Amino acid sequence: MLLPKVWAAFVLLETAHAVEFPSGETLEPITDLSSLGALANQLQDPKNTGSQVYDSQGFEETRLSLNFFVEDFKSPTSRYFRAHPAFMQCLQKTYNVLRRDDDTLEIAEGYRTATDSPSDVYLQSGAAAVIILGDDATTTIQELAAIVIEICVPIFQEVQGDIGLVLHGDKLLVQLQGADETGPHFRAESGAAMDTATFETWAWGQIDETYEPISIPECPADAETLASGETYPAGVSAPEDAVGVIDYPVTRDKVEDFKRLVQYPANNIVFENEERSGAWCGSAARGRCVDCSTKILGSTLDDRCADRVMTKGMLFVLEKVQRMVQDEFAGVKLKVLEAWDEPHEGATSGDHTAGSLHYEGRAATLTLSDGDASKLPRLAAFCICVEAGFVEHKGDHIFIAERKQEGFSPTFIDFPEATLIEVTPPAELEGNYTLEPEQYSNNDTMPMPLFDSDHREHVEVGGNVTIGDFKDPAARYFRLSPELVECYEALELRENKWNKLGEMHRHIAVLEGYLTPENQDDYFNMSDPRYDRHTLGWAMRVGYYGDQVDDPEKFSPVRLARFAVIKCGPLFSGVKKGIGVGLYKNSTFVDIREDAEFWVAEPDVLPVNVTVRDWEDEMAMLLEYAIEGRIIEPDSLERACLFSDPPARQSAEFQHKHSEAVKRRRRRRQTEGAEDQCIPRSDTEFCNETTPHRETEIAHIWGEVKRKHLFRPEADVKAALDGCFGACGTCLEGPIWEEKTEQCNNFLHWVNFQFLNEEPDVTNFWARDNQDLKPQACRDHCIVKAPLFSLVAPSIEELYRPDPTKSVKEQIYSMANNPSPVMEILHIIYAAHASGRVEFYVEDAAEMQSLRAPLKVVLVFNKNITEVIINAEDVEAVEGVVQNLVFEWTKASCPDDTRDYITPFSVVEMPAGISKRSPEFEIREQLLERHRNWEQDWIGSSFG
């Protein structure tokens, strides 16, 4: 094979009868040649090819195909020219193949008028051209002919035409045979590489080569076979149950339907053609039958041979099966006893019972050319391996049937729970499903495929929803978007995701899905926002089943609308579409549309004191937050709330409670004896050595606290202070750490020193290890300006000399020997007191992670925050950290304790002027900070 086969059809646009060419350009044909006067005779099509006449004036540089312009094809002596879209695609695709080998194709003669004295009369048809190879081409003329056959025979078949080739020594005449001609035509002129008889035999061999499959599936020796009487799929006795019934028999006088069938022109398959000697086939008035047992007579509708005619899908299957037969059984060919069937002299109603799939060309009876019945089980296996829709071993032959489908190879559309095949409805019913151009001209980003529901209504396309739920009950065919089914699934999952064990599953009903254009008029007028939405397969009206609505105020259209915006809005945004949501009395309308739109058909469904404008604004806001992934909606409500550990502002009423995670760790240690990675110890030499120093820090802090009024009993506050600053132990986990956390949390909430950051837009955070960022972060307010920070931070950072005779100092509350939770708790409470805009200053991802705790407070919990701005040096890395954290928090936070959605945030470039300081500056800043702390301690101890 030279290239994948392309089966092309050309669109004759109904609007003003414009004709579309392979380039995508459209030209207006001149339908009344008499308007051209004496020129009319010069512009006739002598071969009746179906080409049309066009005016080239102003269109000389218009592309007929990608590489061929009007001026390349038209006569140099005539303003008017004939052309045929199918022929131009034949030339273009031939050109494309040659370019792969860096060869080119030129039109030596295109359309010519009679007065041009063309080299061949076919050039007057506008469906022929003399083509030559470009200079230095490596391709031979015979090889060019092989390419043309492979490319153009299938294209011409699509327009019920045959190929004609005239071989010369240095050029090739290619023509689309006219309707008055019979069959393919091959001729060789003097000087050609072969004579006409040889060329004709060779060309028919090339047609056989054209209809070889590009690939075939594996069908191992142990693949499923069928014994006589068995069927595939197993248990399906009637083929219609597997592939659907026919709409009506396709006959020759149903021209549009008959055109859609194809004739197999090659000789790789043997055809029985038992009717060939009959007096008539199709109808007595037609008066003839065609003998196609050795080759086709021609491709016009009247020349077609019934046994070689079938759907494109059936041809696709038989091509593969015949190749498998020849590969496995030397010298044996696949034999088709019957494909499409029509009435004939020996059977005036056809050879099959009414309603047979043969009458649509979707069935075929098969055997092998050697008549060996022992090979039939293997033949059945081949049919199964190529995925025929239905296969039955009939004893002396194999019967197969195919589903309806669009095109030669099936176009599969994946839904959450099923894969459907795109189809084309029969011509007489097509008007019921045709979309108006304005419905799809702006919707190129999403397909609107049509599917067949026959014998498929029970098939689940999504969880708890079937084809029957979505299709028009009065129509066989339907359109449906996979994204709409995903939306339905998301709604049903959201409605039930937080159900407790034993709680009733609430099913959401699809009240309306797809509607045909004709049937939608029974539901909507043209001014209704739902008009033309159901016909695209992009809309559904949903509601709760009546017997499941035990609380209609809760389980309402408003609830479903909210869920639809939150769950479906991001889905539709992912395919660059908006969501439409409408509120109705007992249902909610949801659809995919270009831009988001919300409306209320019946305001009575809104909650009390909520206006239509309020609701629409809320939906728009929810959509924005949902697309940004900011809606807080845990996967497991029960687990999220069980493990929730919300922050709190300072209060005398506060009482620390260990989170469920801590409680479970404790129980695990008690029951399983599980050891933490770090083994907590309080009996270390360090703890014994620093006892007097910790007592000094406690005395200092307590002295400051006693200066002011306490709102909590003094004994409680003092006990919490002792437990926080007096405790000593290793590890950031385990009972010692948990006790420290409880006592520190209580003390910092009860103590009578505040944070003073309640005013809006003043709170700032920075990674305290990075002193470069401190001046900017503390320009308004930061944690070091909080009185409570000034009270406890010096103690947390206090140093002592393990050996008084030496200058080496260590921290009393060092991370290795006695870590303290004070700093993190301070940041958490400080964040809980913030309001308005909050800013963070970080250099990189690591610094952002170090501020994870206060970031969570302002993004997830604090309802007084309006905006969070994160100033970063490495914006991309920091944004990645924040996005990951937000994703984690939205899926695991308890809505009872949090905001409804993550606070609006942005990660921006660090303001200009904040640059890294020298190491000497950092050392000097640390010394100054230590000196200031020492002065404060000295003043407090001396004058307290």
Side-chain angles (χ1 to χ4, degrees):
M1 297 298 295
L2 295 173
L3 78 169
K5 301 184 184 71
V6 178
W7 311 98
F10 298 91
V11 180
L12 299 182
L13 301 182
E14 295 182 5
T15 305
H17 305 289
V19 176
E20 183 176 346
F21 280 81
S23 61
E25 299 280 358
T26 57
L27 296 175
E28 297 282 346
I30 300 172
T31 54
D32 182 12
L33 294 185
S34 64
S35 64
L36 301 178
L39 288 175
N41 290 333
Q42 293 290 320
L43 298 172
Q44 298 297 325
D45 179 359
K47 294 296 184 179
N48 191 19
T49 62
S51 66
Q52 298 195 65
V53 176
Y54 304 92
D55 186 349
S56 70
Q57 189 169 36
F59 295 95
E60 290 87 351
E61 295 184 5
T62 297
R63 295 177 188 270
L64 295 174
S65 67
L66 180 62
N67 293 100
F68 297 114
F69 297 80
V70 168
E71 63 185 357
D72 298 325
F73 188 71
K74 67 179 278 300
S75 166
T77 66
S78 174
R79 166 179 168 178
Y80 302 97
F81 69 99
R82 281 188 170 274
H84 196 299
F87 184 75
M88 295 312 303
Q89 188 174 43
C90 161
L91 293 186
Q92 180 61 51
K93 290 191 174 296
T94 301
Y95 181 96
N96 294 348
V97 174
L98 289 169
R99 288 302 299 151
R100 295 176 186 177
D101 293 325
D102 295 325
D103 287 345
T104 58
L105 179 72
E106 298 175 12
I107 298 176
E109 287 185 274
Y111 170 71
R112 295 294 183 264
T113 66
T115 56
D116 289 328
S117 300
S119 60
D120 193 288
V121 69
Y122 252 105
L123 295 174
Q124 294 176 232
S125 72
V130 175
I131 57 177
I132 59 175
L133 294 163
D135 295 338
D136 301 321
T138 59
T139 304
T140 67
I141 292 298
Q142 183 174 337
E143 289 170 339
L144 175 60
I147 295 171
V148 169
I149 289 172
E150 181 171 16
I151 293 297
C152 303
V153 167
I155 292 175
F156 294 170
Q157 284 267 312
E158 282 287 292
V159 292
Q160 299 82 51
D162 289 305
I163 193 170
L165 293 181
V166 180
L167 184 68
H168 296 262
D170 58 352
K171 61 186 178 181
L172 183 69
L173 171 65
V174 183
Q175 61 199 40
L176 170 60
Q177 295 286 92
D180 300 330
E181 306 283 347
T182 299
H185 172 73
F186 305 107
R187 188 175 83 247
E189 295 291 333
S190 60
M194 58 185 95
D195 59 27
T196 294
T198 305
F199 180 49
E200 185 173 20
T201 301
W202 174 86
W204 279 105
Q206 292 302 306
I207 291 178
D208 291 347
E209 198 59 37
T210 296
Y211 284 83
E212 286 289 358
I214 298 169
S215 64
I216 58 174
E218 291 185 8
C219 198
D222 59 352
E224 179 180 0
T225 62
L226 299 180
S228 180
E230 292 184 330
T231 63
Y232 170 85
V236 178
S237 57
E240 292 79 7
D241 291 342
V243 302
V245 300
I246 70 170
D247 287 289
Y248 52 77
V250 175
T251 57
R252 290 179 189 268
D253 58 359
K254 294 186 183 297
V255 176
E256 291 304 315
D257 289 304
F258 192 50
K259 279 183 181 179
R260 293 176 183 177
L261 300 180
V262 292
Q263 178 178 236
Y264 183 82
N267 289 319
N268 303 321
I269 299 173
V270 176
F271 291 88
E272 179 79 355
N273 192 208
E274 61 181 11
E275 302 94 348
R276 62 184 178 275
S277 59
W280 61 268
C281 290
S283 67
R286 180 169 176 255
R288 70 164 180 157
C289 292
V290 172
D291 184 357
C292 62
S293 56
T294 57
K295 63 180 181 179
I296 63 170
L297 177 64
S299 297
T300 64
L301 297 183
D302 193 54
D303 286 343
R304 283 180 170 182
C305 170
D307 281 353
R308 286 179 177 261
V309 172
M310 62 197 74
T311 62
K312 294 175 181 177
M314 181 61 75
L315 186 146
F316 185 75
V317 167
L318 294 186
E319 278 187 328
K320 294 177 182 293
V321 172
Q322 69 83 14
R323 181 69 268 158
M324 297 165 88
V325 167
Q326 293 195 56
D327 286 348
E328 185 150 331
F329 304 123
V332 178
K333 289 186 176 182
L334 176 67
K335 185 174 185 178
V336 175
L337 302 175
E338 188 129 74
W340 174 69
D341 191 32
E342 63 179 338
H344 57 90
E345 181 186 24
T348 57
S349 297
D351 292 322
H352 305 277
T353 57
S356 168
L357 293 164
H358 284 283
Y359 296 130
E360 274 192 345
R362 290 197 291 126
T365 53
L366 312 176
T367 186
L368 297 172
S369 60
D370 66 355
D372 186 351
S374 67
K375 297 187 179 82
L376 292 181
R378 186 61 175 156
L379 177 58
F382 295 156
C383 297
I384 294 171
C385 288
V386 300
E387 299 181 343
F390 178 83
V391 185
E392 183 176 6
H393 191 318
K394 288 281 196 176
D396 60 351
H397 67 271
I398 301 297
F399 173 88
I400 67 170
E402 272 299 291
R403 306 174 187 89
K404 287 177 178 282
Q405 68 182 47
E406 167 80 19
F408 283 89
S409 58
T411 299
F412 296 106
I413 308 295
D414 290 327
F415 287 80
E417 296 293 332
T419 297
L420 304 184
I421 298 175
E422 187 174 356
V423 303
T424 300
E428 291 183 7
L429 303 179
E430 197 166 23
N432 296 343
Y433 304 96
T434 300
L435 300 173
E436 296 299 325
E438 60 267 21
Q439 288 182 268
Y440 54 83
S441 58
N442 296 322
N443 297 320
D444 296 337
T445 58
M446 278 185 60
M448 290 162 280
L450 195 71
F451 305 107
D452 185 4
S453 72
D454 189 64
H455 284 79
R456 304 272 291 167
E457 292 193 18
H458 65 284
V459 172
E460 285 198 355
V461 286
N464 298 315
V465 69
T466 66
I467 288 174
D469 291 324
F470 278 108
K471 68 174 287 288
D472 187 328
R476 171 173 178 169
Y477 301 97
F478 67 101
R479 299 185 191 277
L480 184 59
S481 164
E483 286 76 18
L484 192 69
V485 177
E486 290 178 32
C487 168
Y488 173 87
E489 283 193 321
L491 285 178
E492 178 132 316
L493 176 62
R494 176 60 186 86
E495 183 58 65
N496 294 281
K497 70 184 291 186
W498 292 346
N499 286 358
K500 296 179 180 178
L501 186 64
E503 190 173 346
M504 177 180 66
H505 179 93
R506 294 187 184 277
H507 183 61
I508 296 172
V510 179
L511 304 174
E512 283 158 9
Y514 171 76
L515 294 172
T516 66
E518 179 183 8
N519 292 343
Q520 76 162 339
D521 292 334
D522 297 333
Y523 293 84
F524 320 117
N525 58 51
M526 295 183 67
S527 63
D528 193 304
R530 297 169 293 178
Y531 191 80
D532 272 352
R533 309 311 301 166
H534 288 277
T535 58
L536 299 175
W538 289 7
M540 61 182 174
R541 185 169 66 89
V542 293
Y544 294 101
Y545 277 115
D547 59 355
Q548 293 186 344
V549 186
D550 48 9
D551 185 353
E553 289 190 7
K554 178 180 179 182
F555 299 102
S556 66
V558 174
R559 177 183 174 92
L560 277 180
R562 182 182 178 88
F563 288 166
V565 171
I566 292 173
K567 305 307 292 185
C568 304
L571 278 174
F572 301 165
S573 176
V575 291
K576 296 180 172 55
K577 296 293 178 184
I579 186 172
V581 178
L583 282 184
Y584 295 84
K585 185 175 181 181
N586 294 311
S587 63
T588 303
F589 173 87
V590 182
D591 83 339
I592 306 168
R593 55 183 58 211
E594 289 304 305
D595 300 301
E597 186 176 353
F598 309 104
W599 66 93
V600 180
E602 300 181 39
D604 290 347
V605 303
L606 290 173
V608 178
N609 298 326
V610 175
T611 67
V612 172
R613 181 60 181 271
D614 291 340
W615 181 80
E616 291 174 348
D617 288 347
E618 181 191 3
M619 293 301 102
M621 180 192 70
L622 279 178
L623 177 60
E624 177 185 350
Y625 294 165
I627 291 173
E628 293 174 354
R630 289 167 47 198
I631 304 295
I632 295 175
E633 188 178 278
D635 294 332
S636 169
L637 179 65
E638 184 177 6
R639 180 176 177 83
C641 293
L642 184 65
F643 284 85
S644 184
D645 189 17
R649 294 159 67 96
Q650 283 185 306
S651 168
E653 305 302 320
F654 176 82
Q655 185 65 52
H656 175 87
K657 294 180 180 178
H658 287 303
S659 68
E660 181 63 24
V662 172
K663 293 177 182 177
R664 291 192 177 189
R665 281 199 299 269
R666 285 183 167 182
R667 289 196 294 269
R668 193 161 58 245
R669 287 195 299 266
Q670 292 170 358
T671 59
E672 301 176 10
E675 293 186 357
D676 296 305
Q677 290 183 349
C678 176
I679 301 175
R681 292 185 57 191
S682 60
D683 58 350
T684 63
E685 180 180 349
F686 177 88
C687 287
N688 293 331
E689 194 175 76
T690 57
T691 298
H693 299 283
R694 297 197 304 276
E695 291 173 349
T696 298
E697 297 308 317
I698 292 171
H700 164 68
I701 294 172
W702 185 244
E704 294 298 317
V705 171
K706 287 280 289 180
R707 290 171 179 268
K708 302 171 69 174
H709 175 70
L710 284 168
F711 298 97
R712 180 89 181 190
E714 182 176 309
D716 290 350
V717 180
K718 182 61 166 62
L721 174 61
D722 291 341
C724 178
F725 285 84
C728 182
T730 57
C731 302
L732 293 171
E733 58 187 0
I736 298 174
W737 175 259
E738 292 160 6
E739 183 65 21
K740 283 183 192 177
T741 300
E742 177 178 359
Q743 299 300 334
C744 292
N745 207 9
N746 284 334
F747 174 72
L748 296 174
H749 277 88
W750 296 341
V751 70
N752 47 9
F753 280 64
Q754 299 173 322
F755 288 93
L756 302 182
N757 67 319
E758 286 84 358
E759 289 186 18
D761 309 336
V762 300
T763 302
N764 299 275
F765 293 88
W766 92 100
R768 291 185 65 247
D769 289 341
N770 190 340
Q771 290 297 315
D772 296 341
L773 302 179
K774 178 181 175 182
Q776 182 71 12
C778 294
R779 70 193 186 283
D780 288 326
H781 198 282
C782 64
I783 197 165
V784 300
K785 294 184 178 182
L788 181 53
F789 182 88
S790 297
L791 174 68
V792 300
S795 294
I796 290 298
E797 297 179 346
E798 185 57 39
L799 304 176
Y800 83 104
R801 285 194 179 99
D803 185 346
T805 64
K806 297 180 179 180
S807 61
V808 177
K809 294 183 179 182
E810 293 185 17
Q811 283 188 314
I812 296 173
Y813 300 98
S814 70
M815 184 63 69
N817 296 307
N818 186 22
S820 171
V822 166
M823 284 302 179
E824 181 165 297
I825 295 173
L826 277 174
H827 279 83
I828 290 172
I829 306 174
Y830 183 66
H833 279 267
S835 66
R837 185 187 68 252
V838 173
E839 295 199 39
F840 287 75
Y841 294 84
V842 295
E843 184 173 325
D844 52 27
E847 290 189 359
M848 190 72 261
Q849 284 284 9
S850 73
L851 293 171
R852 172 186 177 127
L855 181 67
K856 183 175 183 179
V857 175
V858 296
L859 289 182
V860 177
F861 292 105
N862 190 336
K863 298 179 182 180
N864 296 319
I865 307 299
T866 57
E867 181 185 15
V868 174
I869 299 175
I870 302 167
N871 302 278
E873 290 285 350
D874 189 344
V875 172
E876 184 177 353
V878 170
E879 189 165 31
V881 169
V882 177
Q883 292 290 359
N884 288 337
L885 290 174
V886 165
F887 180 81
E888 173 189 332
W889 293 335
T890 56
K891 302 299 182 186
S893 299
C894 176
D896 295 344
D897 301 327
T898 68
R899 305 164 54 98
D900 290 335
Y901 50 85
I902 295 292
T903 305
F905 70 89
S906 58
V907 181
V908 300
E909 293 260 354
M910 188 73 72
I914 301 179
S915 58
K916 291 189 69 66
R917 306 305 212 287
S918 66
E920 291 79 7
F921 175 86
E922 294 183 4
I923 295 171
R924 184 167 65 253
E925 181 69 14
Q926 292 172 5
L927 291 173
L928 289 171
E929 183 73 14
R930 181 68 58 194
H931 182 67
R932 286 192 291 269
N933 289 340
W934 177 85
E935 286 180 328
Q936 186 177 14
D937 293 344
W938 180 79
I939 292 170
S941 61
S942 301
F943 301 99

